[in-house]
């Protein structure tokens, strides 16, 4: 059995022990983040990086990255000193210990990934600052979170290729540009719904994004990846839609973006 298999067994043995309360009862209710849109920000960059060359090491990397994200929720609650500290400490251990072990296994195989981890530290500090102020939904906190989550795509691309290249930059930039548009759009539909200036700002961002990608890259597939976002922002922005409708629209738009970006990567690799 290799080091990865041992790590998996050890991680989930720990989870099994920690996840039973003092009466020996299984803690059935998972503690999960409420920000549903963040799941796409976590998964899509990773998937784009993985598409360059899937390997078995992507499995512990993704599970470690995923559990690390889950650990941030109880960690932030402990930092804010809200709720039952014992409850959040337990969940921090349930998520954090396996995440640490799994990511250590990956870094052991790819030591250069330490640099990707270090890059997230100042971003995390900014997130903590907003959390302490109870301003997690601030626009700039969302921007920083996008920068942070896109690092998962950088790590995934590095594991795929085994060395640093422009592809890691590509994965990070295309992901950040897309999800920035998502933040603009969602805010125009909910929190900034009646803010006309913010709606115009959203339109301007999406139009300039498509124009800029076309001007600086000329890559048809990559241009197409951002066109649905632009049309959605202009046609639907500010209209009366339920959160469910907005969420379903975002799922469809994210799927289109992912497909077009994967086509762009295939085109680049086939040159």
């Amino acid at each position: 059995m290799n080091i990865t298999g041992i790590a998996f067994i050890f991680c989930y043995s720990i989870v099994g022990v920690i996840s039973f309360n003092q009466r020996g009862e299984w803690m059935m209710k998972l503690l999960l983040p409420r920000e549903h849109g963040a799941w796409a920000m976590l998964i899509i960059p990773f998937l784009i990086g993985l598409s360059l060359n899937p390997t078995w090491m992507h499995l512990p990397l993704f599970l470690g990255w995923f559990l690390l994200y889950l650990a941030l929720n109880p960690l932030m609650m402990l930092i804010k000193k809200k709720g039952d500290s014992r409850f959040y400490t337990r969940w921090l251990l349930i998520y954090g210990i396996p995440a640490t072990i799994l990511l250590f296994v990956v870094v052991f195989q790819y030591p250069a990934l330490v640099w990707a981890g270090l890059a997230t530290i100042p971003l995390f500090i900014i997130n903590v600052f907003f959390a302490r102020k109870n301003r997690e939904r601030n626009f700039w906190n969302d921007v920083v979170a996008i920068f942070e989550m896109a690092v998962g795509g950088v790590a995934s691309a590095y594991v795929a290729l085994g060395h640093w290249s422009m592809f890691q930059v590509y994965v990070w930039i295309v992901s950040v540009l897309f999800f920035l548009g998502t933040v603009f759009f969602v805010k125009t539909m909910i929190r900034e719904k009646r803010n006309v200036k913010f709606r115009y700002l959203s339109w301007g961002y999406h139009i300039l994004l498509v124009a800029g990608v076309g001007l600086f890259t000329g890559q048809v597939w990559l241009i197409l990846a951002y066109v649905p976002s632009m049309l959605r922002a202009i046609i639907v922005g500010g209209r009366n839609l339920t959160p469910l409708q907005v969420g379903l629209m975002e799922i469809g738009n994210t799927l289109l973006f992912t497909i077009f970006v994967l086509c762009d990567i295939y085109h680049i690799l086939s040159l």
Side-chain angles (χ1 to χ4, degrees):
M1 182 179 294
N2 59 23
I3 189 172
T4 304
I6 296 172
F8 275 116
I9 294 173
F10 184 59
C11 286
Y12 289 99
S13 296
I14 291 174
V15 171
V17 172
I18 297 176
S19 298
F20 280 88
N21 61 23
Q22 294 178 348
R23 298 178 182 177
E25 298 170 340
W26 179 257
M27 296 170 57
M28 295 298 294
K29 188 176 180 180
L30 291 174
L31 178 64
L32 299 174
R34 295 180 180 180
E35 296 79 10
H36 303 298
W39 295 108
M41 297 179 189
L42 183 78
I43 295 170
I44 298 305
F46 191 95
L47 179 62
I48 295 172
L50 178 148
S51 70
L52 293 167
N53 180 35
T55 70
W56 282 109
M57 287 304 294
H58 278 102
L59 182 57
L61 176 61
F62 178 74
L63 288 175
W65 183 241
F66 179 73
L67 289 169
L68 181 63
Y69 169 68
L70 294 182
L72 292 179
N73 187 27
L75 177 59
M76 285 297 187
M77 296 303 292
L78 289 170
I79 290 173
K80 293 166 66 175
K81 298 180 180 179
K82 287 190 173 183
D84 185 347
S85 62
R86 292 180 62 185
F87 172 80
Y88 289 117
T89 299
R90 178 185 289 272
W91 279 106
L92 177 60
L93 294 174
I94 290 173
Y95 294 140
I97 293 176
T100 301
I101 296 171
L102 290 167
L103 292 176
F104 175 80
V105 169
V106 179
V107 172
F108 182 80
Q109 297 290 330
Y110 302 94
L113 285 179
V114 168
W115 296 107
L118 291 175
T120 65
I121 293 176
L123 300 173
F124 175 70
I125 292 173
I126 296 173
N127 289 150
V128 170
F129 169 79
F130 281 105
R132 293 290 295 270
K133 299 285 187 179
N134 289 317
R135 297 172 59 193
E136 292 95 334
R137 296 186 183 277
N138 181 277
F139 175 81
W140 294 110
N141 188 51
D142 290 340
V143 171
V144 171
I146 291 170
F147 288 177
E148 198 172 355
M149 290 188 181
V151 173
V154 174
S156 179
Y158 183 86
V159 170
L161 300 176
H163 58 84
W164 294 114
S165 72
M166 289 303 295
F167 274 112
Q168 282 89 18
V169 179
Y170 171 94
V171 172
W172 190 85
I173 290 178
V174 298
S175 300
V176 166
L177 292 176
F178 173 75
F179 287 111
L180 283 176
T182 295
V183 170
F184 273 113
F185 175 70
V186 172
K187 286 191 178 297
T188 61
M189 301 301 293
I190 302 176
R191 295 179 66 85
E192 303 291 343
K193 188 172 184 177
R194 291 179 173 79
N195 189 336
V196 177
K197 291 183 179 179
F198 194 88
R199 191 185 312 164
Y200 289 156
L201 186 62
S202 173
W203 292 355
Y205 173 82
H206 285 90
I207 293 170
L208 288 175
L209 175 57
V210 172
V213 171
L215 179 64
F216 290 105
T217 72
Q219 296 168 217
V220 176
W221 288 114
L222 193 56
I223 296 169
L224 289 174
Y226 297 108
V227 168
S229 294
M230 180 186 69
L231 296 176
R232 170 214 59 187
I234 295 173
I235 297 172
V236 183
R239 292 181 178 272
N240 292 319
L241 296 180
T242 65
L244 176 60
Q245 290 172 320
V246 173
L248 291 174
M249 186 175 297
E250 283 306 288
I251 291 173
N253 185 51
T254 302
L255 287 174
L256 287 175
F257 166 77
T258 305
I259 291 170
F260 285 133
V261 169
L262 293 180
C263 289
D264 187 56
I265 289 176
Y266 177 80
H267 173 72
I268 294 171
L269 293 176
S270 65
L271 293 177

